[in-house]
Amino acid sequence: MGFEKRIYNFSAGPSMLPLEVLKKVQDEMLNYGGSGMSVMEMSHRSKAYGGIIGDAEASLRRLMGIPDGYKVLFLQGGATLQFAMIPLNLMRGSGKADYIVTGSWAEKAAKEGKKFGDAVVVASSADKNFTYIPRLSKEDFRQDADYVHITLNNTIYGSKYPYIPDTGDVPLVCDWSSGILSEEIDVSRFGLIYAGAQKNIAPAGLTIVIIREDLIGKAPASAPTYMDYSVHAANGSMYNTPPAFTVYVAGEVFKHLLAGGGVAAQEKRNRAKAERLYSYIDGSRLYSAPVERESRSLMNVVFVTGDEALDKKFVAQAREEGLADLNGHRSIGGMRASIYNAMPDEGIDALIAFMKKFEVEAGR
Ligand SMILES: *Cc1c(COP(=O)(O)O)cnc(C)c1O
């Protein structure tokens, strides 16, 4: 099948990858860099693979400005395994952790935390169906907590923190699965940042953990070996077989971003894409976006018509026109356009054109 048959994929994840990267991976599929084999077939202990994973880490460090004193780990188990690894490794002082619940993933993280100790939900936006981000300051957190956990971009409800909470000396832990590399963040504000790769970076199978070194080495002796950050840190993410092919694709995406001007340039493109879509929604008679303006996600644009049957019709009709997976998450319905880094401007044009046509046909 040719590239001309590709459609615009608005899935929340796994999601679109840059076409240039897919083509390069295709070119290198059978014979990577003269090695005579595919990266899929390559020993992770080989010199060639050492270069791949080393370059991937170096590129990510450059892209995010990751300071010395932080380790980058390439792990498996998804963001979901981090919901458990974080409390297992970090809830080791007072045994307390504070969670802010701003959506389904944050809720799951908090629930998992409670299995390990005194995890408390200090704030939640459930009262307004997660359409806003609570404003918190230092006094709202227990100052003897081992960490505060936030979900910076809420993939399902389409919201994002418009600020980074000040937690004082308590390490801030952040699920950045659906926002990583979409906009600049100051890594030094965080104790730990984690992200599944399948939203904004690569195929599924890779979880990136960026962790301040003083938070490594606290896991109890009873911790399963794989779940101890110090094991992965001491072994350069090679304690066991890493998700080798996914790390390679991630590295190619990182290079692609660097060539395009880095995260600052990508953020500019993302803001322009999201602004166009939100301003069309805000100006239309048919559609509305439920999330409060200053907390709107740049990556996951949630909108509704207010009529469930019409929403369903929208999603089905859009699919026929090559605009895939615009349905909202199965838990909330409506529509969601996930417009990650790899969604081109033309995808936004096509979506808005379809929305206009649908609005006219709906008689609004
Ligand atoms: C997708 C997602 C998850 C779950 O990731 P898995 O890799 O499937 O475990 C967790 N948090 C956020 C914010 C997500 O978007």
Side-chain angles (χ1 to χ4, degrees):
M1 189 170 96
F3 290 125
E4 71 279 0
K5 292 272 174 56
R6 285 176 58 82
I7 61 176
Y8 296 113
N9 172 9
F10 293 91
S11 168
S15 43
M16 286 184 87
L17 289 167
L19 188 56
E20 296 84 344
V21 171
L22 290 174
K23 284 179 176 170
K24 178 143 189 273
V25 169
Q26 184 184 44
D27 284 347
E28 295 177 340
M29 184 65 76
L30 303 186
N31 185 352
Y32 174 80
S35 65
M37 62 178 84
S38 172
V39 177
M40 288 189 210
E41 305 167 300
M42 192 179 277
S43 165
H44 61 293
R45 305 284 175 202
S46 64
K47 193 160 170 262
Y49 193 74
I52 290 172
I53 196 167
D55 286 351
E57 179 180 339
S59 297
L60 182 64
R61 283 187 171 276
R62 255 182 82 194
L63 278 169
M64 291 183 72
I66 299 172
D68 292 344
Y70 283 78
K71 289 273 193 239
V72 173
L73 308 178
F74 293 129
L75 306 181
Q76 305 195 47
T80 299
L81 184 61
Q82 293 311 306
F83 296 166
M85 275 178 78
I86 288 160
L88 177 71
N89 283 265
L90 268 48
M91 239 188 220
R92 298 290 296 156
S94 63
K96 299 177 184 175
D98 289 353
Y99 283 76
I100 307 179
V101 170
T102 49
S104 313
W105 294 116
E107 213 158 35
K108 285 191 169 139
K111 197 170 162 217
E112 197 77 350
K114 285 177 185 169
K115 294 183 179 177
F116 291 85
D118 179 11
V120 167
V121 175
V122 291
S124 163
S125 50
D127 58 336
K128 289 186 183 161
N129 203 26
F130 300 118
T131 52
Y132 73 106
I133 300 291
R135 304 296 189 278
L136 299 179
S137 52
K138 225 158 60 178
E139 300 70 49
D140 297 311
F141 305 109
R142 294 179 290 180
Q143 281 307 303
D144 63 339
D146 290 326
Y147 61 89
V148 171
H149 181 282
I150 62 169
T151 308
L152 200 54
N153 185 77
N154 296 282
T155 324
I156 294 175
Y157 291 90
S159 69
K160 195 202 72 181
Y161 279 71
Y163 73 108
I164 304 290
D166 176 7
T167 56
D169 292 331
V170 182
L172 183 58
V173 171
C174 167
D175 181 352
W176 193 212
S177 290
S178 47
I180 188 167
L181 298 175
S182 68
E183 62 180 282
E184 293 191 293
I185 61 168
D186 178 358
V187 174
S188 70
R189 296 281 307 268
F190 300 89
L192 189 154
I193 298 169
Y194 65 102
Q198 72 275 20
K199 309 283 165 65
N200 219 2
I201 295 180
L206 166 66
T207 314
I208 290 172
V209 172
I210 301 163
I211 181 171
R212 219 171 61 205
E213 284 170 6
D214 63 291
L215 299 176
I216 299 173
K218 297 171 183 283
S222 62
T225 307
Y226 190 88
M227 292 179 69
D228 181 344
Y229 290 128
S230 70
V231 170
H232 299 288
N235 290 281
S237 301
M238 291 274 211
Y239 172 73
N240 70 330
T241 318
F245 189 76
T246 304
V247 170
Y248 153 68
V249 179
E252 293 301 323
V253 170
F254 298 157
K255 276 191 252 176
H256 175 74
L257 277 172
L258 283 167
V263 177
Q266 184 62 48
E267 175 174 348
K268 222 170 147 189
R269 293 191 284 274
N270 290 339
R271 287 194 184 282
K273 284 189 285 179
E275 242 151 59
R276 261 195 317 131
L277 191 47
Y278 282 119
S279 72
Y280 169 66
I281 292 168
D282 290 339
S284 92
R285 287 168 185 275
L286 180 59
Y287 312 101
S288 63
V291 175
E292 73 166 22
R293 272 167 206 257
E294 65 171 327
S295 303
R296 286 174 173 178
S297 169
L298 295 183
M299 296 284 101
N300 310 100
V301 177
V302 169
F303 58 98
V304 295
T305 64
D307 171 343
E308 263 178 57
L310 203 56
D311 288 351
K312 283 213 170 70
K313 195 172 157 198
F314 178 99
V315 171
Q317 226 166 290
R319 180 70 186 76
E320 276 168 27
E321 306 217 2
L323 306 170
D325 291 350
L326 280 162
N327 50 297
H329 190 266
R330 52 190 157 43
S331 59
I332 67 167
M335 277 81 76
R336 170 178 54 176
S338 292
I339 51 171
Y340 296 116
N341 285 355
M343 174 61 66
D345 289 341
E346 295 75 25
I348 308 293
D349 296 339
L351 175 57
I352 292 175
F354 172 77
M355 289 172 79
K356 283 182 178 161
K357 189 174 72 141
F358 189 84
E359 183 166 349
V360 170
E361 282 168 10
R364 306 290 173 99

